[in-house]
Amino acid sequence: MQHYCNNCNTYTKQQYCPLCKNKLSQKTGDNEYYPIYETKVKRRRFAQRLVLFIAIFIVSTSILINLLTNPDKLWFLYVLSPVLYSLLTINHTILSRAHIGSKVVLQVIALSVMLFILDAASGSSKWSIHYVIPFLVTLATLLVTIIVLRKPMKWREYIGYMTTMVILGFLPVILFLSSWSTVLWPSAATALYALMTLIGMVLFSEKTMKNEIVRRFHF
């Protein structure tokens, strides 16, 4: 039988409260020793599912309205890409406990895809490929570099993401060589920064980090 203490708001099997030492009634408590409570993980998962549901509702509604009103012009793309980017930002970047390197890489990729879709939907002037995407890749590479420099003891956690950003740094040049982009200097600047970052990683890192870089790039 459980006894309840009105002063301390506790339940015990003893007839006297272990805190205030008052004698307790013989009335059985209605609650358990450990009341049910909602953990932060459950709240975070619920928030992620709620955001996903809202995103699906917005996208599906936009597609339906677009097809019913003006099927010749796919304006729902202006809604689709920002909603998907917002979904990733909230569920992965903000609410999840993923590694910060993963968040940076996925942010660059998602933001680049969103801007490319908006560019294509607005007439495909290729402003995203010419200028914005190279700038984003350079900025993200610099951000990961700063994180590695500030936390040198955790370089092993970031080496994979750093390698990914260096590889992405050469992507604008590939787009230029394949005639997707016609403006050379942003792509060349991004590739040069990626190359200098790689050289700096090899020259100024410790021996163990150099061996890891050489192994990953197969020098």
Side-chain angles (χ1 to χ4, degrees):
M1 177 180 293
Q2 299 180 26
H3 303 281
Y4 178 70
C5 178
N6 294 320
N7 295 328
C8 304
N9 295 324
T10 57
Y11 290 90
T12 178
K13 292 184 177 181
Q14 304 176 16
Q15 294 187 1
Y16 291 88
C17 178
L19 300 178
C20 64
K21 307 301 181 182
N22 289 333
K23 187 176 181 179
L24 305 179
S25 64
Q26 297 294 328
K27 183 179 179 181
T28 303
D30 296 329
N31 297 330
E32 299 179 356
Y33 281 100
Y34 302 99
I36 299 175
Y37 62 95
E38 188 178 25
T39 64
K40 292 183 179 180
V41 175
K42 290 182 178 180
R43 290 197 296 267
R44 185 167 61 249
R45 289 178 179 175
F46 174 78
Q48 290 175 330
R49 293 171 183 173
L50 179 61
V51 172
L52 177 60
F53 175 79
I54 294 174
I56 294 175
F57 174 78
I58 294 175
V59 171
S60 58
T61 303
S62 301
I63 295 175
L64 179 62
I65 296 176
N66 189 179
L67 295 178
L68 292 178
T69 57
N70 191 8
D72 297 331
K73 186 177 181 181
L74 301 179
W75 55 261
F76 78 90
L77 293 175
Y78 292 103
V79 180
L80 175 64
S81 53
V83 169
L84 293 180
Y85 174 72
S86 300
L87 175 63
L88 181 138
T89 300
I90 296 174
N91 280 2
H92 183 266
T93 306
I94 298 176
L95 294 180
S96 77
R97 305 188 69 176
H99 194 279
I100 187 172
S102 172
K103 294 181 179 182
V104 173
V105 172
L106 286 183
Q107 274 291 314
V108 172
I109 296 175
L111 188 56
S112 299
V113 171
M114 182 191 72
L115 295 175
F116 176 77
I117 293 176
L118 292 178
D119 185 8
S122 61
S124 188
S125 59
K126 296 186 178 180
W127 51 265
S128 61
I129 298 177
H130 293 336
Y131 304 104
V132 181
I133 293 178
F135 173 75
L136 287 176
V137 173
T138 302
L139 184 62
T141 305
L142 176 61
L143 178 59
V144 177
T145 304
I146 293 174
I147 294 174
V148 172
L149 293 176
R150 289 176 60 89
K151 299 180 179 180
M153 298 300 295
K154 296 184 178 181
W155 67 265
R156 289 184 180 273
E157 299 180 12
Y158 291 91
I159 187 65
Y161 305 111
M162 195 72 183
T163 303
T164 302
M165 293 311 307
V166 170
I167 295 174
L168 289 177
F170 294 96
L171 179 61
V173 173
I174 297 176
L175 294 176
F176 178 82
L177 295 176
S178 61
S179 300
W180 276 71
S181 175
T182 57
V183 182
L184 177 59
W185 71 265
S187 302
T190 303
L192 177 61
Y193 183 79
L195 179 61
M196 296 306 298
T197 301
L198 177 60
I199 295 175
M201 290 168 61
V202 174
L203 291 180
F204 298 103
S205 60
E206 298 178 357
K207 184 177 180 179
T208 53
M209 185 175 180
K210 289 180 182 179
N211 295 335
E212 183 71 14
I213 295 172
V214 170
R215 185 184 68 83
R216 288 177 180 266
F217 285 93
H218 304 287
F219 289 159

